[in-house]
Amino acid sequence: MSDSTRSRELDALVADMRSDVLHPAEVDAVVAGLLTTLTPPPGGGGAAGGPDTATSCPNPSSEVRSLAVKVAV
Amino acid sequence: MQPERRQVGLVEELVREHAPFVGRALRYLGVPEADVPDATQEVFLVAHRRRDDFDGQSPRAWLKAIAVHVARNARRSLRRRREAGADALPEGSVPPAQEAAAERRSRRGRALALLEALPKAQREVFVLHDVEQHTMKEVSHMLGIPLQTGYSRLRLARARLQRTLTDEEQA
């Protein structure tokens, strides 16, 4: 096998990996899980979690807002 | 629309934009397939907890840096599970899919097997630079290594992968 053929094989392998993004259904699950954790339950109060968790903030909706502002491009 | 609902929608939009690529990085950094969605969520939760550390420059690079740490933890956890005698989750735990998905899994399996043969440090640089297409400056910052070390690891990783491809051909 020539060097150029090997290089093309490696390029093809990398191209395969680049196209292998998370499936939309898996992204849906990530979004659902994250929003469940970060948004307050109906009736107020924070989501379940101990004092050391990210969900222990007394006003999680402001936390969601803060994350959005910080990460927005 | 209520302001709060709009902000939640914005977070959802951000996650939808970046999660596909964060998940890909986690997969090729060595997180077991069945754990990739949970690990992806963990990346965004860590980002949420550490949002004050974000410099506002590149959310993509910032999230991938977090993904590197989440992947390292996941690999350690997997190693502990194996040492404790628990098998890794079988491939059959993934829902059966159509032919195209089976072909995708086959190619993915081959890529993962090749990456598994790389030393961890080389694998991280190769995945972040060649697969995730970050600049070497970003990669060196993410991993906390000198730029030249990054280039050296990348060169070694590519050479090793090429050798493995040759060995496969000759076998």
Side-chain angles (χ1 to χ4, degrees), chain A residues 1, chain B residues 163-171:
Chain A
M1 186 190 275
Chain B
R163 273 202 309 276
T164 308
L165 290 170
T166 307
D167 293 345
E168 277 185 0
E169 178 71 14
Q170 290 172 347

Side-chain angles (χ1 to χ4, degrees), chain A residues 1 6 9-10 13-14 16-20 22 28 31 33-34 38 54 61 63-64 66 70, chain B residues 4 11-12 15-16 20 24 27-28 48-49 51 54 104 107-108 114 130-131 133 162 165-166:
Chain A
M1 186 190 275
R6 278 201 303 271
E9 274 211 31
L10 187 53
L13 189 79
V14 168
D16 272 348
M17 288 191 267
R18 282 181 190 165
S19 67
D20 193 15
L22 213 58
D28 286 343
V31 169
L34 195 65
L38 295 181
S61 61
E63 294 294 288
V64 170
S66 173
K70 275 286 195 178
Chain B
E4 198 171 281
V11 169
E12 179 176 345
V15 176
R16 287 194 185 283
R24 174 183 63 191
R27 170 180 295 135
Y28 288 111
H48 166 65
R49 284 198 295 268
R51 61 196 177 281
F54 179 49
R104 157 69 63 199
R107 289 203 303 270
R108 179 189 297 163
L114 287 165
D130 279 14
V131 180
Q133 297 178 279
Q162 298 241 358
L165 290 170
T166 307

Side-chain angles (χ1 to χ4, degrees), chain B residues 68-85:
Chain B
V68 168
H69 292 284
V70 170
R72 287 175 181 171
N73 288 339
R75 284 200 304 262
R76 271 195 292 272
S77 171
L78 177 64
R79 204 162 45 239
R80 280 197 296 270
R81 289 205 308 253
R82 283 177 174 162
E83 285 168 1

Side-chain angles (χ1 to χ4, degrees), chain B residues 129-150:
Chain B
H129 187 275
D130 279 14
V131 180
E132 297 302 321
Q133 297 178 279
H134 289 283
T135 65
M136 189 54 82
K137 189 177 173 190
E138 286 176 325
V139 173
S140 63
H141 185 67
M142 285 180 210
L143 299 176
I145 58 174
L147 201 61
Q148 286 310 315
T149 302

Side-chain angles (χ1 to χ4, degrees), chain B residues 10-28:
Chain B
L10 182 54
V11 169
E12 179 176 345
E13 193 179 310
L14 292 169
V15 176
R16 287 194 185 283
E17 181 182 348
H18 294 285
F21 311 104
V22 168
R24 174 183 63 191
L26 289 164
R27 170 180 295 135
Y28 288 111

